[in-house]
Amino acid sequence: MDTADLILTGATVCTVDSGRPWASDLAIAGGTVLVVGDRDEVARHRGAGTEVVDLGGAFVMPGLVDVHNHHALAGMADLFELSVDPAADLPGVLAAVAERAGESGPDEWVVGGSWGSHLIGELSRDAALRALDEASGGRPVLLSDDSHHNRWANSRALRLAGIGAHTADPDGGSIVRDPDTGRPTGLLLERAGIAATRAVHDAAAPTAEQHRQASLRAVRILHSYGITAFQDAGASREVMRALKDLDDAGELAAWVVSSMLVNDPIFGAAPIGAELVAEGERYRSRHHRPDFVKIFLDGVPPTRTAAFLDPYLPDHVHGAHHCGELSMPSEELAGWLRAVAEAGLSAKVHCTGDASVRATLDAVAEVRADGHRASRFQVAHGQFVHPQDVPRFAELDVSADISPFLWFPGVIPAAIAEVRPPELAGRMQPNRALLDSGALVAGGSDWPVSTSPNAWEGIQGLVTRQDPSGAHTGSLWPEQALSLAEAIEVFTLNGARAMGLAEVTGSLAPGKSADFVIVDRNPFDGPVTEVARTVVEQTWFAGRLVHQRR
């Protein structure tokens, strides 16, 4: 009989394994789960060198899985950039810029974020640009919004990016101009921000060591929230190289699936598309899997760049019949998905409007009809899904990557309500309907779009459809609530299945990686309104302690 290296006993073990959902003891050997069961079952695997830890009833569960984040961006921001609260008002943003500028050299860029979507109206005026110029003290400034799709630049940054009064809007982007003067306000939507992003890179591109530090910092933050597996939703060559280097050095303590950029309306990365995908395999390592591509099919609702079946509310720029548009024709999308499947890869498609969701499902239907059944396809975000399209997720084996945490009231849902008809704006995240239809629903944070990757906030919100922080009152479409057990599965096994990692993680079962967390409470014992307060005491990856609460 195999001997365990470590036995955890006297615990409450939630396995998220339907074959044995609950246990009291767990045996680990060689970084994998040896057996899960009761005290007597597990004790048979105790040897002379086995470490035995009595947990005194502590709650143990699989490591959490984040199906959608931008870990490298978050790590880079945490280490090197200005951090702004997305809920801040304009004076708050300007004060943060002024403080950072005062600590910077005269030609040093002030880069960071995130300003909230609720500020779009204010930032569309000359007055806001003048205020930003004053706060920056002449230094170039580039700030991302809370969706990380849009930028706000000051006058010096606009000059360095080559953006002036007569610069035409790029395809797929808008240089926002003051409605009275016609001058650029510094607000750059979607692809319009790429020129400014590249200007930052030209001035001070992150080094390979900074990329490595950023990924390492992000993984450590994820560990503090109990996350042991995640999918980066927009990986560049530099990010994948950093992940492989960390893994080769034995420092990557997480399962990571990368989504290689096919098109790039927001990051300014190079290369993208076929060239990047062709390179992906060279960055594969034990824990890093470049198995997906990422396609942006539309933008985001607050800036009216998401593609909908029904028009936005009228405004002076777009008129009364604007529905947004897709980033590529349907035939091109289907061609990409077919090529991805033929290469043995999978695809994550960014869709925030119901028209982009439908276009993705239509394209997947073509690819499935061609006989490509093995590739995984994810609709990323999918806040708005037409009722007729809900059952198609299960029919076509398409996963719903629900991210960020927009299933309860908050800054972004409020901004969406300003541009969408009221009878449609609140019909966000039909998670109950998707789950009941048989769809695989997997949870993601979209960190740093979410200010933290704390899955417990998302889990509580899935159950209550209310803001766990209490900052925003009311509930958002409460009929779409999940049970607590379902919500935990969304952020564990479902995520692993959507990413292609279910054979190694996502639940506690013999043969799987010993990825688990010990938390400060049994979330099933208290009120669901307290779930977001859950604190991770320890995080273990492959049988190794990687986070200990101080």
Side-chain angles (χ1 to χ4, degrees), residues 66-93:
D66 188 339
V67 79
H68 190 126
N69 69 32
H70 300 275
H71 87 285
L73 288 178
M76 198 72 71
D78 185 77
L79 290 173
F80 307 116
E81 297 179 0
L82 170 65
S83 178
V84 179
D85 183 353
D89 58 10
L90 182 55
V93 174

Side-chain angles (χ1 to χ4, degrees), residues 139-150:
R139 297 159 185 82
V141 177
L142 186 65
L143 304 177
S144 300
D145 75 334
D146 50 11
S147 75
H148 283 253
H149 276 244
N150 310 296

Side-chain angles (χ1 to χ4, degrees), residues 201-213:
H201 281 231
D202 290 345
T207 65
E209 177 57 25
Q210 285 177 314
H211 278 291
R212 185 180 177 280
Q213 290 177 26

Side-chain angles (χ1 to χ4, degrees), residues 8-49:
L8 302 180
T9 187
T12 300
V13 183
C14 173
T15 68
V16 195
D17 176 13
S18 59
R20 184 154 197 173
W22 296 95
S24 64
D25 289 51
L26 180 68
I28 297 160
T32 63
V33 176
L34 184 60
V35 64
V36 181
D38 61 30
R39 184 182 297 267
D40 291 339
E41 290 173 293
V42 173
R44 300 189 190 107
H45 297 271
R46 180 174 179 175

Side-chain angles (χ1 to χ4, degrees), residues 30 84 148 205 216 251 301 349 368 440 468 482 498 550:
V84 179
H148 283 253
L216 192 60
E251 297 180 70
V349 186
R368 296 294 194 213
L440 179 63
L482 306 186
R550 293 179 179 177

Side-chain angles (χ1 to χ4, degrees), residues 230-251:
F230 63 90
Q231 184 167 352
D232 190 287
S236 66
R237 170 198 285 161
E238 292 79 10
V239 169
M240 292 193 293
R241 181 183 292 128
L243 289 167
K244 185 180 190 306
D245 288 349
L246 287 171
D247 206 14
D248 289 347
E251 297 180 70

